[in-house]
């Protein structure tokens, strides 16, 4: 019996949130996934790490890398990494008007991608999958298509001549509602994901991330399996 050809390798950035979970499920269809998670001093660091491990277990991913990027707390400038800056109540209208919220971590995705590129080059991976979403996001500038095109050019310029690593953002043009529907269709373990910016026990239900998630599940016609202290998606 002829052996099946080995699937190509990919590195997947897996935060433990809904978008990265669905992205990991997409990547696992055609690639041998290696998943990378960063602890960068965020408020829900321990809960996100737990979600990462559980999602990787569910998807059967053995190759994992957990990196420490807590220097971002020293850099500061974000409500996610600086305890002196309060995580605000959701204001989705402000995000739609182009205002950058205080939960933006300055140039965060560049730190994640840099580590992913280094690991991908070592592994010989052909792709890096990132669960970035421009639509229905909080207005973060490092979730836009132009950012990833620019980063891809930097990867090409800064790696070995024979290295070929493409950056895949399969959800970047999707709404959160579409992401929920796609995740359910794929059988992605959305019940294992964590999205709240504030809490590690019960999701607060009122930060931008919680409200976007709650609204997405409601509009997709599914019940959100996450535990909430407050559950109101009307913001």
């Amino acid at each position: 019996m002829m052996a099946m050809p080995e699937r190509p390798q990919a590195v997947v950035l897996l935060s433990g949130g809904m978008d990265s979970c669905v992205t990991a499920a997409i990547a696992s269809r055609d690639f041998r996934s290696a998943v990378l998670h960063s602890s960068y001093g965020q408020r829900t660091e321990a809960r996100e790490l737990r979600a990462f491990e559980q999602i990787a277990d569910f998807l059967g991913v053995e190759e994992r890398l957990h990196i420490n990027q807590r220097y971002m707390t020293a850099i500061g400038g974000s409500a996610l990494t600086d305890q002196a800056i309060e995580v605000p109540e959701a204001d989705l209208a402000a995000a739609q008007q182009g205002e950058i919220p205080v939960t933006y971590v300055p140039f965060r995705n560049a730190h994640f991608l840099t580590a992913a590129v280094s690991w991908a080059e070592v592994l010989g991976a052909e792709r890096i999958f990132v669960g970035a979403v421009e639509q229905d996001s909080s207005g973060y500038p490092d979730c836009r298509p132009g950012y990833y095109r620019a980063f891809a050019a930097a990867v090409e310029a800064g790696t070995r001549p024979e290295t070929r690593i493409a950056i895949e953002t399969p959800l970047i043009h999707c709404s959160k509602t579409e992401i929920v529907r796609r995740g359910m269709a794929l059988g992605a373990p959305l019940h294992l994901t964590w999205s709240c910016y504030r809490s590690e026990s019960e999701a607060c239900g009122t930060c931008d991330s919680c409200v976007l998630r709650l609204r997405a599940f409601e509009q997709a016609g599914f019940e959100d399996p996450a535990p909430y202290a407050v559950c109101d998606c009307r913001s």
Side-chain angles (χ1 to χ4, degrees), residues 53-164:
E53 296 288 2
Q54 290 175 335
I55 293 165
D57 287 344
F58 185 97
L59 295 175
V61 179
E62 295 183 1
E63 196 148 22
R64 310 174 192 187
L65 181 61
H66 172 215
I67 58 174
N68 180 346
Q69 293 182 307
R70 294 189 185 95
Y71 58 83
M72 291 192 208
T73 61
I75 293 171
S78 169
L80 299 193
T81 56
D82 186 341
Q83 296 293 327
I85 304 174
E86 185 177 351
V87 174
E89 299 294 285
D91 187 357
L92 304 187
Q96 290 172 355
Q97 293 169 6
E99 296 180 25
I100 307 300
V102 295
T103 51
Y104 165 65
V105 180
F107 215 47
R108 177 182 64 178
N109 286 349
H111 298 268
F112 299 162
L113 283 167
T114 298
V117 171
S118 296
W119 197 29
E121 192 166 29
V122 170
L123 295 176
E126 299 179 3
R127 299 279 193 280
I128 293 171
F129 281 82
V130 187
V133 179
E134 179 181 38
Q135 187 179 350
D136 271 8
S137 72
S138 296
Y140 299 155
D142 55 356
C143 287
R144 299 169 183 168
Y147 171 84
Y148 291 95
R149 288 193 295 268
F151 205 95
V155 172
E156 184 176 2
T159 53
R160 296 186 185 97
E162 65 271 20
T163 296
R164 295 291 181 270

Side-chain angles (χ1 to χ4, degrees), residues 39-61:
S39 291
Y40 58 96
Q42 67 272 40
R43 289 172 183 263
T44 56
E45 179 180 275
R47 184 62 184 85
E48 290 179 30
L49 177 58
R50 190 172 111 204
F52 161 76
E53 296 288 2
Q54 290 175 335
I55 293 165
D57 287 344
F58 185 97
L59 295 175
V61 179

